[in-house]
Amino acid sequence: MPHRPIHTHLVNGNHDLPRRGGSEPPIAQPEQPTVIVLAAGQGTRFRQSGGVMHKLDAPLGGVPVLQRVLNAVAASGLPCHVVRRASGASAVSDGMGDSIARGVAATAGATGWLILPGDLALVTSDSLLQVAQGLAGHPVVQPFWNGRRGHPVAFGAECFAALTGLCGDMGAAAVVQEYRRNGQLLELQVDDPGIVTDIDTLEDLASAEAWLGTPK
């Protein structure tokens, strides 16, 4: 099976289609931040827990984990860029920081970025939109659910240099902390456990499956 190259999967559910026979011009939409979906990790913990495939390919409610994330992004209408693992990439080059840097650099013209791990299979499109809207008044937005920090974390265009300079496994935590110290971070409370529900092990997958089957 050929390996899928990095930065190839783009999802954008925000299309303005002209109505047949209509005379009204399309309404201009404000530019929206781009969702960077991180799908370059090796999924080692999932395999160690007994998984026989990559966690992003594991079925959850009959739909692969990563596809669920992409479906949520598509439903939000936000532009999306998926960062995949390059063929032959070393483990060192696949840290979260490296993935963020590559994704942001590849979408340099964006008005901002929502950094979304590809294993957050239960996140809702409403949460993505709430976080994106938070960027209108703050350079960095971090969502919280029941006091727990979650994803996606959003960054305005002014964070471009800081994000493209990231490397290793630390992600963008240092950037978030800097803006928190400066009082420029919006801590956004959302009613969505999906922002903190990542799929790292078979147990996580089973818990997510049970949550999907629970009446809401």
Side-chain angles (χ1 to χ4, degrees):
M1 179 182 295
H3 196 94
R4 292 174 294 183
I6 196 166
H7 306 321
T8 58
H9 194 139
L10 299 179
V11 178
N12 189 345
N14 188 23
H15 297 291
D16 293 318
L17 299 179
R19 290 177 293 179
R20 193 179 299 274
S23 59
E24 296 180 4
I27 299 174
Q29 298 293 328
E31 290 190 50
Q32 297 174 305
T34 295
V35 181
I36 303 295
V37 178
L38 306 179
Q42 300 181 68
T44 303
R45 287 183 58 192
F46 189 78
R47 294 186 185 278
Q48 290 175 341
S49 73
V52 296
M53 62 183 69
H54 195 287
K55 66 178 182 179
L56 299 184
D57 297 323
L60 174 58
V63 180
V65 166
L66 178 59
Q67 189 59 51
R68 279 190 169 274
V69 174
L70 298 179
N71 290 349
V73 178
S76 76
L78 296 170
C80 177
H81 188 85
V82 180
V83 179
R84 300 186 187 276
R85 192 179 182 200
S87 179
S90 67
V92 173
S93 67
D94 280 332
M96 182 177 289
D98 301 281
S99 292
I100 294 172
R102 285 183 283 160
V104 171
T107 54
T111 59
W113 303 271
L114 276 65
I115 308 302
L116 180 62
D119 63 353
L120 239 65
L122 301 181
V123 70
T124 69
S125 58
D126 284 346
S127 293
L128 300 180
L129 287 171
Q130 288 179 54
V131 173
Q133 291 163 1
L135 280 180
H138 300 80
V140 179
V141 181
Q142 184 165 50
F144 281 74
W145 177 77
N146 277 6
R148 296 173 60 186
R149 289 177 289 186
H151 286 87
V153 180
F155 300 89
E158 70 179 64
C159 300
F160 178 80
L163 295 176
T164 53
L166 296 174
C167 61
D169 294 324
M170 292 303 294
V175 182
V176 174
Q177 288 298 333
E178 178 182 353
Y179 279 85
R180 177 178 282 112
R181 286 193 300 268
N182 293 335
Q184 296 178 292
L185 171 70
L186 172 62
E187 295 186 349
L188 180 67
Q189 307 299 321
V190 299
D191 185 20
D192 178 14
I195 70 165
V196 299
T197 308
D198 52 352
I199 308 296
D200 279 332
T201 65
L202 278 179
E203 183 179 1
D204 293 338
L205 186 66
S207 295
E209 192 83 43
W211 188 88
L212 285 176
T214 302
K216 307 301 186 291

